[in-house]
């Protein structure tokens, strides 16, 4: 029962924060510098880890499917399997999970420490709503960066699959065959669906992390607790949302 | 009597100076009563000094005035408007110098001061720069403009917090122990600033302080909180020879080596 009220409270304050930030959308052009800072933090600093993870996910996926599809003599479809899995599912989910772990945790830590050390209170007394300068630029930046990260993740994942297909002897499919299979069964809608999912996940993660950070009460210990909570709630939200969004976009 | 006129130094817009009414303010944190039915008014353009032992509820009271805490009972009115209402902060410029400074740790000293004028579009960067540098000069901080809060000493942080409040050109200025970490000369400077702001701009000021010099030197009226209750309210002159033994002890605590206080504590 207590858990449920906590959950509802948290959900309520996140939604409230969303509306508060939305009120200030008009100030975005003036906040260009903050927006670009956040794009850099969210996009550029997450890129290396996205690249590494997607490359190996693509490789493993190709390896596993090579092993199992051998039995049906369906090896030539590996390309489309890796391609579709990445575009529709793995790309967006991996990127969102990395953003939650890499960026979301940092956002919560920063905002929670601002809250605990009364910086947020100072903003409020200065009549500078925290939603305007702390939350809005981050939400805007994640909306811009998620599709970029997801597209790069997809390309690198596909590439990882191609490398495995070419160099693993038991599979031995040339890149031309791999990519032509990938292209044959891929519709624009598949990629679009994936990008849409990435967009939704990223937005929700940043909103959750901002909200939990700004609702931190107490001292330094609570900052750590907030970060843990933000990451856990983000990960659960990604996977739960994944099911419903996938179903809705089918 | 007409209220004194506050003139905004930037826009030169004139508005009546701000008055504060605290009406039966009570605050409970769980079962603990931090404020017990506190009532007083601060007249427009007045310097009100709030004193009291550590833990008596002074900082909590200031937070109620800026609307950061919601009262358990009673209310705070600023120019007749509820302090917790959102539009109060939009209409009336209130600056609070936090006891711990509350500087923005990710911004340099300069940007800490410039944030408010930039966000509220006081003018172009050059205008803002002039204002910021002037505030830094007043507090002898001009060489620290590029530093970050983590690179400052405690007293410097306090001065930055005061400078940041000055840049806001507030109608109502609240200081939470502005001189507690400052040397005597800087403390005197702060007292002079507070008095000047009152004389020239009719800034209404509430100062929480243990500093007797400051209280007796510049206060129009003094309030003393003890254990969340307002036990004294009156002109500073009457504090020179306080009648109440509790207040007398607070003001002139005698060091008694034969009978030290901590030994009289019950075990
Ligand atoms: N958020 C809070 N939760 C619980 N208790 C609090 C909270 N804030 C303050 N208190 C309690 O209220 C009392 C008054 O605190 P306050 O900070 O106002 O003291 P103060 O008069 O400013 O003291 P000092 O001179 O040491 O700054 C203290 O006993 C403190 O423990
Ligand atoms: Mg205090």
């Amino acid at each position: 029962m207590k858990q449920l009220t906590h959950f509802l409270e948290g959900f309520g304050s996140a939604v409230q924060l969303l509306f508060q930030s939305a009120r200030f959308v008009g100030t975005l052009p003036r906040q260009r510098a903050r927006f670009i800072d956040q794009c850099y933090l969210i996009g550029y600093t997450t890129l290396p880890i996205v690249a590494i993870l997607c490359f190996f996910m693509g490789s493993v996926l190709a390896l596993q499917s090579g092993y199992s599809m051998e039995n049906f003599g369906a090896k030539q479809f590996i390309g489309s399997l890796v391609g579709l899995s990445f575009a529709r599912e793995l790309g967006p989910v991996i990127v969102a999970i990395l953003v939650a772990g890499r960026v979301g945790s940092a956002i919560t830590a920063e905002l929670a420490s601002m809250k605990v050390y009364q910086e947020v209170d100072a903003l409020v007394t200065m009549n500078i709503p925290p939603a305007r300068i702390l939350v809005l630029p981050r939400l805007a930046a994640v909306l811009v960066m998620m599709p970029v990260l997801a597209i790069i993740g997809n390309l690198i994942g596909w590439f990882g699959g191609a490398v495995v297909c070419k160099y693993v002897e038991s599979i031995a499919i040339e890149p031309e065959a791999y990519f032509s299979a990938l292209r044959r069964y891929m519709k624009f809608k598949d990629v679009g669906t994936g990008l849409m999912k990435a967009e939704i996940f990223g937005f929700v993660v940043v909103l959750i992390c901002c909200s939990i950070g700004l609702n931190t009460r107490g001292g330094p210990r609570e900052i750590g607790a907030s970060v843990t909570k933000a990451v856990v709630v983000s990960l659960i939200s990604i996977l739960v949302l994944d099911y419903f969004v996938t179903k809705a976009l089918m | 009597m007409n209220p004194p006129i506050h003139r905004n130094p930037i826009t030169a817009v004139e508005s009546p100076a701000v008055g504060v009414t605290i009406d039966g303010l009570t605050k409970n944190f769980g079962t603990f009563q931090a404020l017990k039915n506190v009532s007083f008014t601060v007249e427009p353009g007045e310097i009100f000094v709030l004193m009291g032992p550590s833990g008596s509820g002074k900082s909590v009271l200031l937070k109620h005035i800026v609307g950061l805490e919601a009262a358990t009972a009673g209310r705070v009115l600023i120019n007749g408007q509820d302090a917790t209402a959102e539009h109060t902060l939009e209409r009336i410029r209130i600056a609070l110098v936090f006891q711990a400074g509350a500087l923005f740790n990710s911004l340099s000293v300069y940007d800490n001061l410039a944030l408010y004028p930039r966000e509220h579009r006081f003018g172009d960067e050059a205008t803002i720069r002039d204002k910021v540098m002037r505030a830094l000069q007043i507090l002898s901080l001009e060489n620290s403009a590029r530093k970050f809060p983590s690179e400052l000493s405690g007293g410097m942080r306090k001065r930055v917090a005061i400078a940041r409040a000055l840049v806001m050109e507030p109608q109502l200025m609240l200081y939470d122990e502005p001189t507690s970490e400052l040397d005597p000369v800087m403390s005197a400077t702060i007292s002079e600033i507070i008095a000047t702001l009152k004389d020239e701009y009719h800034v209404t000021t509430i100062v929480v302080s243990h500093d007797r010099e400051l209280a007796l030197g510049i206060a129009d009226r003094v309030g003393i909180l003890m254990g969340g209750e307002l036990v004294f309210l009156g002109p500073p002159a009457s504090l020179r020879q306080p009648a109440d033994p509790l207040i007398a002890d607070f003001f002139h605590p005698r060091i008694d080596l034969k009978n030290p206080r901590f030994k009289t504590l019950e075990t």
Side-chain angles (χ1 to χ4, degrees):
Chain A
M1 199 53 217
K2 209 172 149 209
Q3 300 285 334
L4 186 70
T5 25
H6 271 186
F7 170 77
L8 289 178
E9 265 173 29
F11 185 76
S13 48
V15 171
Q16 203 183 0
L17 191 61
L18 175 61
F19 281 105
Q20 283 169 355
S21 320
R23 265 174 50 200
F24 300 113
V25 167
T27 66
L28 262 181
R30 271 202 288 134
Q31 302 202 54
R32 214 173 314 123
R34 279 190 203 109
F35 169 74
I36 291 169
D37 261 8
Q38 290 304 325
C39 284
Y40 175 83
L41 280 177
I42 294 174
Y44 188 75
T45 61
T46 328
L47 202 52
I49 183 164
V50 164
I52 295 171
L53 221 74
C54 286
F55 180 85
F56 282 102
M57 275 310 281
S59 315
V60 170
L61 197 60
L63 202 60
Q64 290 280 23
S65 43
Y67 173 77
S68 48
M69 286 166 122
E70 178 102 79
N71 302 330
F72 317 108
K75 265 194 333 190
Q76 66 274 29
F77 296 118
I78 294 178
S80 47
L81 189 134
V82 173
L84 278 177
S85 326
F86 250 91
R88 291 185 60 93
E89 186 63 39
L90 287 175
V93 171
I94 289 176
V95 169
I97 287 175
L98 292 179
V99 164
R102 178 83 178 63
V103 180
S105 57
I107 291 177
T108 307
E110 186 177 349
L111 299 195
S113 113
M114 290 186 73
K115 181 74 201 290
V116 167
Y117 294 110
Q118 294 188 309
E119 293 180 41
V120 172
D121 287 349
L123 283 177
V124 171
T125 63
M126 294 173 149
N127 189 24
I128 303 173
R132 183 173 86 202
I133 70 166
L134 298 179
V135 181
L136 180 68
R138 290 183 163 92
L139 287 176
V142 80
L143 281 182
V144 172
M145 295 321 288
M146 278 312 277
V148 177
L149 285 172
I151 288 174
I152 294 174
N154 281 342
L155 292 176
I156 292 176
W158 295 341
F159 173 73
V163 171
V164 163
C165 288
K166 177 162 168 67
Y167 292 105
V168 172
E169 278 160 28
S170 62
I171 305 178
I173 295 175
E174 285 303 309
E176 292 82 49
Y178 171 90
F179 280 110
S180 88
L182 189 148
R183 232 168 326 172
R184 195 170 329 137
Y185 296 99
M186 177 94 61
K187 292 194 275 319
F188 181 76
K189 186 177 167 234
D190 296 318
V191 178
T193 306
L195 296 187
M196 187 60 135
K197 280 163 73 167
E199 198 82 310
I200 293 171
F201 299 162
F203 190 79
V204 169
V205 164
V206 170
L207 186 64
I208 287 172
C209 291
C210 286
S211 176
I212 290 178
L214 287 177
N215 282 305
T216 306
R217 277 201 191 83
R221 222 165 67 123
E222 278 73 17
I223 299 176
S226 280
V227 172
T228 312
K229 181 174 160 197
V231 172
V232 171
V233 174
S234 295
L235 293 183
I236 294 173
S237 308
I238 291 171
L239 296 178
V240 173
L241 270 177
D242 189 22
Y243 177 82
F244 291 103
V245 176
T246 307
K247 203 145 180 294
L249 290 178
M250 249 171 193
Chain B
M1 189 188 88
N2 286 331
I5 295 297
H6 170 88
R7 186 167 52 85
N8 183 327
I10 311 129
T11 58
V13 172
E14 298 190 336
S15 53
V18 168
V20 180
T21 305
I22 291 161
D23 180 14
L25 191 63
T26 299
K27 177 68 179 182
N28 299 346
F29 290 110
T31 55
F32 176 76
Q33 264 207 315
L35 293 174
K36 298 171 191 162
N37 195 17
V38 174
S39 298
F40 62 90
T41 57
V42 179
E43 301 298 332
E46 185 182 34
I47 298 177
F48 187 93
V49 175
L50 188 62
M51 308 182 83
S54 178
S56 55
K58 305 180 298 292
S59 298
V60 171
L61 181 60
L62 285 189
K63 283 187 194 155
H64 280 84
I65 298 176
V66 282
L68 287 174
E69 294 274 5
T72 308
R75 56 193 183 152
V76 176
L77 298 178
I78 299 171
N79 268 0
Q81 301 176 16
D82 196 296
T84 49
E86 215 176 296
H87 56 76
T88 305
L89 279 176
E90 280 168 20
R91 292 181 193 160
I92 300 167
R93 279 191 315 285
I94 307 174
L96 169 60
V97 179
F98 286 77
Q99 189 166 7
L103 302 181
F104 303 120
N105 281 309
S106 60
L107 300 181
S108 69
V109 167
Y110 182 91
D111 290 332
N112 260 277
L113 269 66
L115 182 71
Y116 184 88
R118 279 179 187 152
E119 286 298 317
H120 292 279
R121 295 197 261 188
F122 270 20
D124 56 9
E125 229 6 77
T127 320
I128 291 173
R129 202 190 140 70
D130 286 348
K131 287 173 56 65
V132 168
M133 289 318 289
R134 200 176 122 66
L136 287 176
Q137 251 166 17
I138 292 176
L139 290 145
S140 314
L141 284 164
E142 60 273 32
N143 295 326
S144 308
R146 293 281 142 227
K147 287 192 176 157
F148 282 81
S150 59
E151 299 165 333
L152 303 177
S153 73
M156 285 164 91
R157 247 174 262 158
K158 205 49 166 273
R159 273 142 65 199
V160 175
I162 295 169
R164 187 175 71 180
L166 291 178
V167 170
M168 289 171 66
E169 317 252 354
Q171 293 155 277
L172 172 61
M173 187 81 155
L174 311 171
Y175 300 87
D176 200 343
E177 306 202 3
T179 58
S180 59
E181 286 168 290
L182 303 183
D183 60 75
V185 175
M186 198 38 88
S187 300
T189 308
I190 302 299
S191 299
E192 288 161 12
I193 292 173
I194 296 172
T196 309
L197 285 176
K198 172 204 152 136
D199 291 342
E200 292 181 9
Y201 299 111
H202 301 293
V203 175
T204 308
T205 308
I206 301 176
V207 191
V208 165
S209 180
H210 297 300
D211 189 337
R212 284 182 54 223
E213 299 295 318
L214 182 144
L216 301 178
I218 62 169
D220 293 314
R221 275 189 311 150
V222 179
I224 297 181
L225 271 181
M226 283 190 181
E229 274 175 286
L230 192 68
V231 295
F232 173 87
L233 184 67
S238 57
L239 281 173
R240 290 186 195 275
Q241 304 288 316
D244 187 330
L246 261 179
I247 297 176
D249 187 52
F250 176 67
F251 262 87
H252 306 280
R254 216 166 278 123
I255 297 174
D256 187 350
L257 293 178
K258 293 215 184 75
N259 193 10
R261 280 154 224 272
F262 68 88
K263 284 205 178 156
T264 64
L265 295 179
E266 287 171 86
T267 40

